[in-house]
Amino acid sequence: MEHALDITLTVNGTRVRHRVEPREHLIDFLREKLGLTGSHVGCEHGVCGACTLRVDGQIVRGCLMLAVQANGCRVDTVEGLSDSKELARLQKAFHEKNALQCGFCTPGMLLAAQDLVLKNKKFTREEIRQHMSGNYCRCTGYQAIVDAIEEVVNG
Amino acid sequence: MGKAELPLHAPGTRTDRGYIGRSMPRPNAARLLQGRGAYVDDLRFPRLAHVVFYRSPYAHALIKKLDFKKATQAKGVIAVLDGRAVAEYCTPWVAVLGHLKGIKSPPQHAVAIDRACWQGEAVAAVVAETRAQAEDAAALIEAEWEELPAVIDMEVSLKGTSIIHKELGDNICFARTHDTGGVDEAFAQADLVVEETYGFGRHTGVCLEGRSILADYNAAEHSLTVYHSTQAPHMMQDIFSRHLGIPEASVRVIARDVGGSYGIKVHVYPDEMATAALSVMLRRPVKFVADRLESFATDIHAREHRVKVKIAVKKTGEILAFDMDDLTAIGPYSVYPRTSGIEGNQVVNLTGGPYKHQKYRGKLNVVFTNKNVTCQYRAVGHPIAVALTEGIVDKAAAALKMDPAEFRRRNLIPDDAYPYTFPSGVKFERLSHHQALDMLLNLMDYKKLRQEQKEKRKQGRHLGIGLAAMIEVTNPSPAFYGVGGARISAQDGATLRLEPTGMVTVLCSVTEQGQGTEGIFAQIAASAVGVSMDKVKVITGDTGVTPYGGGTWASRGAGIGGEAVLQAGRALRSSILDVASHVLGLAKSELEIKDDQIVHLLTQLPKLALSELGRIAYFRPDTLPMNFQSELTVTRHYTPREYGFTFTNGIQASLVDVDVDTGFVKLLKHWCVEDSGTIINPMLVDEQLRGGVVQGIGAALYEECLYSPEGQLLNGNMADYLVPMSGEMPDIICAHIETPTKQSELGAKGVGEAGTAGAPAAVMNAINDALAPLGAQVTAMPFTPERILRALKRV
Amino acid sequence: MAGKAAGKAAGAALKAPAFAYAKPASLAEALELLARPGAKVLAGGQSLIPSLNMRLSSPELLVDIGSIEQLKHIELKNGAIHIGALVTHASLETSETVRKHVPLLAQAVPHVAHAAIRNRGTLGGSLALADPAAEYPAVAVALEAVFEIAGKNSTRRVGAAEFFKGLFETDLKAGELLTAVEFPVAKPADKSVFLELARRNGDYAIVGLAAHNDRFVFLGAGDRPVQFSFRNNLEEAKANLEANLKPSADLYHTAATKLHLAGVLLERAWNTR
């Protein structure tokens, strides 16, 4: 049986209200209903990290959260965090070190990396690698990504 | 051999490489960093329908009955169709080419008719308003099957006791033997013969963006626009045109942002052809995105080989001959249009690659199985050829108690031996094997590492150092596909246009999947014309807009597309100076273009801004001489002609620490020295190498598509199929040599696949170097803890 | 997940089937809803949602217990650490109370998947799923934790060893909910170590070991945590293990290899716990 529900949430600072089916996961909701196609779908079983979003200040996998669970929450996507300039330092470092090639993993990488930046302390390369180990990239081999994050967190 | 002299400007002018050789950040990365790219699944169309494919659960079965009654009535469903219905809109294909003598394969349809030949093959299509609704409906299809014997094992397939396609007589898609003659004699003369059998696990590309296609048919015009995550838009334009019956120029294929490809998205997929056919049939846009489970089951697989190799060596270490027997398992069809015979063919062509022996025999059998189809995937055949060569070379060195680097030094083709014809028949223009070896040993401080290894062994730590020398096919001429009858273009073109405001637009037929194609074209165009890079806009991946060409594959983008851009840039520069000469009343030879200005050659003083020149040429041509017409859009094409393939060379090294209790391998470091000719952007070259190396590491340690004896894919999801993640990967140190090719002014060779070609061999040799004192070795990739523990007899 | 998706891969789907959804505000309301046929608990969703996406399960109704505040505490109570079922892995990771008083659990948490999953996944969810390769069941058995279970009309307590009954099978009856777990407070003389072997950071363990004093509990080596009591020397322990541990093969490792790896972990734990 399908019971559509109304949800209200704040996405990139804007309050939105939509009717969703319970089975719709958050990443599909953002992409299809709100047109926020910056976050990507890579596996839909929670392993690749391409759908990494921020919900109530914490990084989550958008494919492992139902849109209905995001009712009342604050959601940040790569578009919002770009426009607010929160990701600017990481984006600059990524750009200069070519820490992206096809770009499909990049929004997820940035959201996950920003999690480290917000902790406001230094990290070793090993710690950066461990933290980012939930985000799959096929193009870069990861080194440039680690270099870029290292530059931002360690200065 | 220093940096290439690059004549960018007319003789007599100052030679200036401009942006060439500089690590410029890519302009098109900016939108990707903000999530503002345009991948196929991001696009929105009115009346867009979604297609889901109902797929065979069996490896081999007759489709006795398909009942669509319930499915057709499900919510949101537009149509449910079988293979016969789709065949009315899309003709079948046969993937054979004339230059692979004797290759055979049966016709393949967009949606299977009567028989499914691998688990995952599409047997019905469900079109609905949303993807979820289409999946709901697909679950309501009722099917009756009659299972047929499934041929899964390659040796069993070769034996032919059960034949998959009876009409073909056996299971052999393609067989070939290359023999220089004198091989047995060489083995008879050898002081030492070493042999081994190497196994390579079938694996796949795992592009993060699934295969995606959105086909939009316009019934009024009988025209088709396809937004396609593909490497070769013109090739697809030709194929959609011929198989769907739409005139070529009425088919437009657009590849915007592509989320990774590595060769996976350069092939023709039946479900993608079906999607296009459905758009024609239903007269509305139809989209298909392969989800992750589908990707594992239906994206091309690659590299399932069992290779026996023998090497004949003198006690001085001189290699006399290689003798190789390669058996490889493909799926039930050769893949269109490049064929599934090429990978094995490459193994025959490339075995023994870096070495100066004269005698060689290579035997190949490519057999059908009822597993997923296979075809070209990044580095096609090289990973196998390099691993079997470098593996047996290490074994021979060990048998002679010779250092592996020294053994290679005695056998690498000398740096002054070129041009050189290799025993398999391929021709090398100019390589730098010895220079590369020297550079690598220096870069990694080889002697010091060997010392460290010795010391750590005393403490019970098992470090291993592995080397892998290699050659790499790049910039192919029509010798690769065209000569076989494939409508795959080996020539490419670039159109450069000066805009009225002085910007330069570049339209090029080579495509971008993240490697930096558009970035390097901007660098080349800016340098060739004389504008600053931020004034250049590059457009690729649109058959309606760019010149005709081959797209990206076989590491040809920089060498072929780049040369077309360079030539067009020089031609545009010349045309601009023609206009400037008239505007300024000065001789063309007294003028130059620099930093967006026409400058006086001798004084270097700016005379006229390009934006002003543009204004005059486009809006005030009445002020120019009566018989003069400015031509500020120019097109040039380029095809490599002299060499069938422009070979490059490189050498890699891996340093590992093997935990002999758990069988786990820790990758401590990796080095890659590569000679890819003129380097346009060193940072992008490094990143191609690194990405390629990690893909190769995946093959060596982690990745394998596991099938049950019944042909069921056992690990087709991201949790069970192991791709390399950041936690386990080493830092990869890269260094370059530049030996330009003389076939072009740019002198660039290719580099996109080199990392993947050599990494598996380097890692294998490192593991075996670590295990050698314990009397153990591994030969079958991936080198899982299971395989290492068994080799160590711990289990 | 190993092998489960195999037969499904053919008709592979990655959009969940339709279901109804309810979000009770209280435990009582949740238990009322869970009594309905086809009702399933949604806590963190980190295991449930992938299985829904893959159409491996099709519940009628998801009962989202995420807003039941009384299930979210970590507190020292009556000489034990009382942790609500809805406490996330991330909260366990940053809890000073857990680090100080349940060090074995604190050691296990970083092995659970990755940060984004730890932010949503819960202690109760992991225990109730009873994946044989999961970390917490083995830790709970090693520490002799006590599980608090609520039914519509009653509550009960079950020891960890009795809770895990088989492959993805627990003592939870239909309509019951795991509400909290009680761990004993670590004593100064306690010796604990958690070890795990996984190919990649965050992967499910090939085999793992939660060792606490004499108790050695293996994960990934049976259909549920496998407990041993080793009181004497390492040689005897290893012999005992070899004779009695019967792990199943997985996609990549034979049973013999898993047994061997368990032995390696035993030896490593013996010296470092």
Side-chain angles (χ1 to χ4, degrees):
Chain A
M1 43 175 171
E2 285 169 30
H3 301 245
L5 294 165
D6 288 320
I7 58 172
T8 306
L9 59 160
T10 304
V11 180
N12 294 330
T14 301
R15 215 161 154 71
V16 299
R17 191 186 154 91
H18 266 270
R19 180 148 268 247
V20 297
E21 285 182 40
R23 64 165 161 175
E24 200 174 336
H25 48 55
L26 183 57
I27 185 73
D28 272 356
F29 169 72
L30 293 169
R31 288 179 55 80
E32 305 299 324
K33 296 269 165 45
L34 301 187
L36 289 166
T37 56
S39 314
H40 302 134
V41 174
C43 76
E44 287 179 288
H45 44 285
V47 183
C48 76
C51 63
T52 304
L53 304 162
R54 204 155 76 188
V55 175
D56 287 345
Q58 293 190 313
I59 51 168
V60 303
R61 301 228 198 264
C63 70
L64 295 191
M65 199 168 160
L66 303 175
V68 289
Q69 288 179 292
N71 185 39
C73 292
R74 202 180 73 242
V75 178
D76 295 306
T77 73
V78 65
E79 293 97 330
L81 297 177
S82 296
D83 289 345
S84 73
K85 305 272 182 276
E86 184 181 329
L87 292 176
R89 282 175 68 208
L90 274 175
Q91 286 164 326
K92 181 165 184 285
F94 268 57
H95 201 172
E96 285 166 1
K97 296 195 187 300
N98 208 58
L100 69 154
Q101 292 184 25
C102 80
F104 207 76
C105 75
T106 306
M109 288 287 178
L110 289 169
L111 270 282
Q114 182 63 4
D115 207 42
L116 279 184
V117 174
L118 289 173
K119 293 200 190 325
N120 243 312
K121 55 187 258 259
K122 292 193 194 284
F123 292 96
T124 64
R125 286 179 75 82
E126 182 60 32
E127 286 169 329
I128 293 169
R129 282 187 178 276
Q130 293 301 306
H131 179 78
M132 299 304 293
S133 66
N135 285 71
Y136 173 52
C137 174
R138 192 53 139 174
C139 295
T140 67
Y142 304 106
Q143 188 171 337
I145 294 173
V146 177
D147 290 346
I149 297 170
E150 190 184 20
E151 183 175 282
V152 175
V153 298
N154 293 347
Chain B
M1 184 71 216
K3 290 221 177 264
E5 280 297 305
L6 193 67
L8 285 175
H9 300 278
T13 62
R14 185 163 56 93
T15 302
D16 180 8
R17 303 184 84 219
Y19 292 96
I20 296 184
R22 290 172 55 184
S23 293
M24 308 302 296
R26 296 157 50 213
N28 62 339
R31 66 170 182 273
L32 303 177
L33 281 162
Q34 294 199 8
R36 287 174 162 134
Y39 303 90
V40 170
D41 194 47
D42 299 342
L43 307 175
R44 299 285 170 266
F45 283 75
R47 300 188 71 229
L48 179 64
H50 299 255
V51 61
V52 152
F53 292 93
Y54 180 74
R55 299 181 179 281
S56 169
Y58 299 107
H60 198 194
L62 294 175
I63 309 164
K64 302 302 282 182
K65 190 169 128 182
L66 286 171
D67 188 335
F68 297 153
K69 226 180 7 262
K70 291 196 184 119
T72 310
Q73 286 157 14
K75 183 167 179 220
V77 169
I78 296 161
V80 184
L81 304 137
D82 67 6
R84 283 199 169 77
V86 175
E88 290 181 31
Y89 286 82
C90 180
T91 57
W93 52 84
V94 181
V96 295
L97 288 175
H99 64 320
L100 298 175
K101 301 252 172 295
I103 188 171
K104 57 189 194 281
S105 182
Q108 185 180 16
H109 288 269
V111 174
I113 295 175
D114 288 341
R115 178 175 69 131
C117 292
W118 86 88
Q119 183 211 28
E121 185 172 15
V123 304
V126 181
V127 188
E129 303 283 349
T130 71
R131 170 96 193 193
Q133 286 170 338
E135 286 190 13
D136 291 342
L140 298 172
I141 291 177
E142 286 165 4
E144 269 170 43
W145 304 87
E146 181 184 314
E147 270 187 271
L148 297 170
V151 179
I152 304 304
D153 177 89
M154 60 167 86
E155 310 269 6
V156 169
S157 176
L158 182 63
K159 269 206 199 81
T161 37
S162 179
I163 298 177
I164 297 173
H165 307 295
K166 304 258 187 295
E167 70 275 21
L168 296 183
D170 58 35
N171 290 324
I172 300 172
C173 170
F174 176 57
R176 181 187 158 205
T177 299
H178 179 86
D179 196 332
T180 56
V183 175
D184 296 325
E185 289 81 345
F187 273 89
Q189 283 168 31
D191 294 320
L192 175 72
V193 172
V194 180
E195 57 185 286
E196 190 52 81
T197 302
Y198 292 100
F200 299 88
R202 163 187 277 252
H203 55 285
T204 185
V206 201
C207 311
L208 190 54
E209 180 208 25
R211 293 185 292 109
S212 310
I213 182 170
L214 194 159
D216 184 11
Y217 176 70
N218 187 314
E221 295 181 342
H222 189 49
S223 70
L224 180 71
T225 305
V226 185
Y227 299 85
H228 199 179
S229 189
T230 180
Q231 292 174 214
H234 285 99
M235 183 194 85
M236 292 312 303
Q237 176 193 34
D238 168 74
I239 285 170
F240 290 131
S241 168
R242 284 186 296 113
H243 290 279
L244 300 177
I246 300 172
E248 185 182 46
S250 297
V251 176
R252 183 172 175 184
V253 179
I254 300 172
R256 295 176 65 186
D257 289 313
V258 172
S261 186
Y262 334 106
I264 302 300
K265 297 170 181 171
V266 81
H267 306 292
V268 168
Y269 287 90
D271 47 24
E272 295 177 12
M273 294 300 291
T275 304
L278 289 166
S279 178
V280 178
M281 184 198 298
L282 299 170
R283 298 167 169 236
R284 60 195 290 178
V286 179
K287 176 167 81 171
F288 169 64
V289 176
D291 69 32
R292 187 52 54 192
L293 301 185
E294 279 179 301
S295 283
F296 276 113
T298 63
D299 286 0
I300 55 116
H301 292 176
R303 315 220 225 278
E304 183 181 347
H305 291 247
R306 184 278 292 133
V307 195
K308 298 187 186 145
V309 63
K310 284 196 311 194
I311 189 174
V313 179
K314 293 205 87 73
K315 56 175 179 280
T316 54
E318 182 196 344
I319 300 169
L320 297 178
F322 284 88
D323 188 350
M324 180 286 282
D325 182 340
D326 180 16
L327 176 62
T328 176
I330 62 173
Y333 299 100
S334 170
V335 172
Y336 190 59
R338 290 160 198 269
T339 86
S340 303
I342 294 284
E343 183 181 282
N345 201 44
Q346 292 278 70
V347 178
V348 174
N349 287 341
L350 303 169
T351 294
Y355 303 114
K356 58 184 192 228
H357 56 289
Q358 294 296 308
K359 305 299 177 199
Y360 169 58
R361 180 161 52 222
K363 183 171 156 198
L364 172 69
N365 275 296
V366 179
V367 294
F368 294 114
T369 65
N370 293 111
K371 293 181 283 198
N372 184 25
V373 296
T374 73
C375 211
Q376 279 70 299
Y377 165 45
R378 195 177 196 173
V380 188
H382 293 68
I384 287 109
V386 177
L388 73 96
T389 299
E390 293 301 275
I392 203 74
V393 156
D394 258 21
K395 265 197 102 159
L400 291 176
K401 300 207 186 342
M402 198 180 286
D403 175 82
E406 179 55 31
F407 186 94
R408 284 170 173 82
R409 191 185 297 287
R410 293 187 189 192
N411 286 288
L412 289 170
I413 298 168
D415 288 354
D416 60 0
Y418 300 97
Y420 186 93
T421 301
F422 186 68
S424 70
V426 298
K427 292 176 168 39
F428 303 140
E429 179 188 0
R430 185 160 171 191
L431 304 177
S432 59
H433 286 297
H434 287 265
Q435 190 183 354
L437 175 62
D438 288 340
M439 190 179 275
L440 176 74
L441 297 180
N442 204 34
L443 192 63
M444 62 192 287
D445 205 340
Y446 184 72
K447 280 207 187 70
K448 181 149 165 260
L449 279 179
R450 283 289 179 204
Q451 190 55 36
E452 192 186 324
Q453 179 184 40
K454 234 199 275 200
E455 277 151 28
K456 291 257 155 55
R457 274 187 180 142
K458 295 193 191 114
Q459 300 161 20
R461 288 266 303 282
H462 302 272
L463 295 190
I465 301 165
L467 303 176
M470 48 172 277
I471 55 170
E472 174 81 36
V473 165
T474 77
N475 297 358
S477 72
F480 214 157
Y481 293 113
V483 300
R487 295 175 73 85
I488 291 169
S489 186
Q491 59 87 64
D492 276 86
T495 301
L496 264 61
R497 177 173 68 230
L498 182 77
E499 306 291 355
T501 57
M503 294 189 72
V504 174
T505 301
V506 177
L507 314 169
C508 187
S509 52
V510 173
T511 54
E512 165 88 71
Q513 296 83 42
Q515 64 278 73
T517 312
E518 293 186 2
I520 60 167
F521 290 171
Q523 287 177 247
I524 295 167
S527 308
V529 176
V531 299
S532 52
M533 199 171 144
D534 62 343
K535 293 277 191 286
V536 179
K537 197 92 183 93
V538 179
I539 297 174
T540 64
D542 186 340
T543 62
V545 163
T546 70
Y548 196 93
T552 296
W553 44 278
S555 303
R556 64 195 296 279
I560 297 179
E563 180 68 8
V565 172
L566 177 65
Q567 294 305 323
R570 292 179 51 129
L572 179 61
R573 186 181 171 280
S574 178
S575 288
I576 292 170
L577 290 179
D578 285 336
V579 176
S581 158
H582 288 298
V583 171
L584 295 170
L586 293 169
K588 192 171 163 185
S589 56
E590 296 180 73
L591 300 173
E592 195 181 66
I593 309 176
K594 198 179 154 198
D595 298 332
D596 311 309
Q597 301 269 349
I598 307 293
V599 306
H600 193 263
L601 182 58
L602 284 173
T603 65
Q604 290 289 299
L605 287 172
K607 290 279 178 196
L608 179 68
L610 279 182
S611 53
E612 178 61 9
L613 184 147
R615 183 190 72 80
I616 294 168
Y618 286 109
F619 307 127
R620 294 307 309 275
D622 55 300
T623 63
L624 297 171
M626 191 66 102
N627 61 349
F628 175 77
Q629 175 60 56
S630 58
E631 290 288 359
L632 296 175
T633 298
V634 294
T635 300
R636 290 291 182 273
H637 293 78
Y638 174 70
T639 313
R641 295 298 303 275
E642 240 188 286
Y643 286 88
F645 309 96
T646 301
F647 276 88
T648 62
N649 64 280
I651 186 164
Q652 297 185 28
S654 166
L655 177 68
V656 305
D657 187 345
V658 180
D659 182 333
V660 298
D661 291 324
T662 61
F664 277 52
V665 176
K666 187 163 166 67
L667 300 164
L668 298 178
K669 225 179 206 97
H670 201 100
W671 295 264
C672 187
V673 173
E674 184 65 22
D675 183 346
S676 54
T678 303
I679 291 176
I680 298 143
N681 185 322
M683 176 171 70
L684 298 187
V685 169
D686 282 356
E687 291 310 305
Q688 280 297 285
L689 291 173
R690 291 192 174 113
V693 163
V694 170
Q695 254 179 328
I697 288 171
L701 294 181
Y702 294 103
E703 299 183 46
E704 187 170 9
C705 300
L706 296 172
Y707 277 88
S708 74
E710 298 76 33
Q712 300 284 306
L713 181 60
L714 297 172
N715 63 341
N717 62 73
M718 293 295 290
D720 294 328
Y721 180 99
L722 305 178
V723 289
M725 305 295 274
S726 64
E728 293 71 38
M729 292 304 106
D731 280 347
I732 299 154
I733 297 159
C734 303
H736 313 134
I737 298 170
E738 288 182 80
T739 305
T741 172
K742 292 197 159 59
Q743 297 173 94
S744 68
E745 288 199 53
L746 187 60
K749 301 174 182 173
V751 80
E753 298 168 275
T756 310
V763 172
M764 176 175 79
N765 283 348
I767 293 171
N768 283 331
D769 186 55
L771 298 179
L774 301 167
Q777 70 156 11
V778 285
T779 55
M781 295 188 197
F783 304 121
T784 57
E786 174 78 32
R787 289 185 167 144
I788 290 175
L789 288 172
R790 287 202 175 267
L792 286 165
K793 301 206 188 337
R794 299 296 298 270
V795 177
Chain C
M1 216 186 291
K4 253 187 277 173
K8 279 277 176 181
L14 272 175
K15 298 296 176 199
F19 49 81
Y21 171 90
K23 193 167 188 188
S26 71
L27 183 56
E29 200 187 326
L31 291 166
E32 194 64 53
L33 288 164
L34 284 172
R36 296 199 194 166
K40 224 169 150 69
V41 175
L42 171 64
Q46 304 303 280
S47 295
L48 177 62
I49 295 177
S51 88
L52 288 172
N53 289 347
M54 292 207 221
R55 297 193 177 226
L56 293 173
S57 72
S58 31
E60 295 280 329
L61 168 68
L62 280 197
V63 179
D64 183 352
I65 60 172
S67 55
I68 302 175
E69 291 306 311
Q70 75 184 88
L71 302 179
K72 296 184 183 176
H73 58 278
I74 303 175
E75 55 190 33
L76 173 55
K77 200 166 89 170
N78 301 331
I81 300 299
H82 205 256
I83 307 179
L86 282 182
V87 171
T88 62
H89 308 299
S91 298
L92 292 174
E93 204 173 357
T94 55
S95 162
E96 189 54 30
T97 306
V98 171
R99 193 195 61 76
K100 192 159 163 221
H101 298 299
V102 201
L104 186 61
L105 182 61
Q107 275 189 56
V109 178
H111 290 278
V112 177
H114 300 100
I117 292 188
R118 292 199 292 272
N119 284 336
R120 300 283 305 167
T122 64
L123 174 73
S126 173
L127 291 168
L129 179 62
D131 188 316
E135 289 80 6
Y136 297 159
V139 169
V141 170
L143 295 176
E144 295 186 305
V146 177
F147 291 16
E148 292 179 5
I149 296 168
K152 226 166 96 170
N153 301 310
S154 59
T155 59
R156 60 195 183 94
R157 290 161 63 84
V158 178
E162 289 72 50
F163 183 78
F164 298 105
K165 295 210 125 40
L167 190 65
F168 297 100
E169 200 193 320
T170 69
D171 195 51
L172 286 171
K173 312 280 183 282
E176 282 188 323
L177 192 64
L178 175 64
T179 53
V181 184
E182 198 179 270
F183 292 95
V185 166
K187 298 190 277 293
D190 278 342
K191 291 187 290 181
S192 310
V193 72
F194 182 87
L195 296 174
E196 180 179 297
L197 285 172
R199 293 299 308 280
R200 304 171 306 176
N201 185 46
D203 281 354
Y204 277 105
I206 301 169
V207 78
L209 172 58
H212 179 73
N213 299 332
D214 294 336
R215 235 171 285 124
F216 292 79
V217 184
F218 291 89
L219 55 117
D223 63 1
R224 69 195 100 162
V226 185
Q227 183 181 223
F228 287 88
S229 222
F230 295 137
R231 299 217 160 81
N232 299 329
N233 57 56
L234 179 58
E235 290 318 303
E236 201 180 299
K238 279 166 80 171
N240 189 339
L241 186 73
E242 211 134 317
N244 295 304
L245 188 70
K246 309 248 176 274
S248 305
D250 63 28
L251 274 177
Y252 297 101
H253 312 91
T254 57
T257 293
K258 293 188 77 167
L259 180 59
H260 167 82
L261 293 175
V264 173
L265 288 184
L266 173 61
E267 195 159 341
R268 290 182 181 177
W270 196 273
N271 300 321
T272 60
R273 114 204 98 112

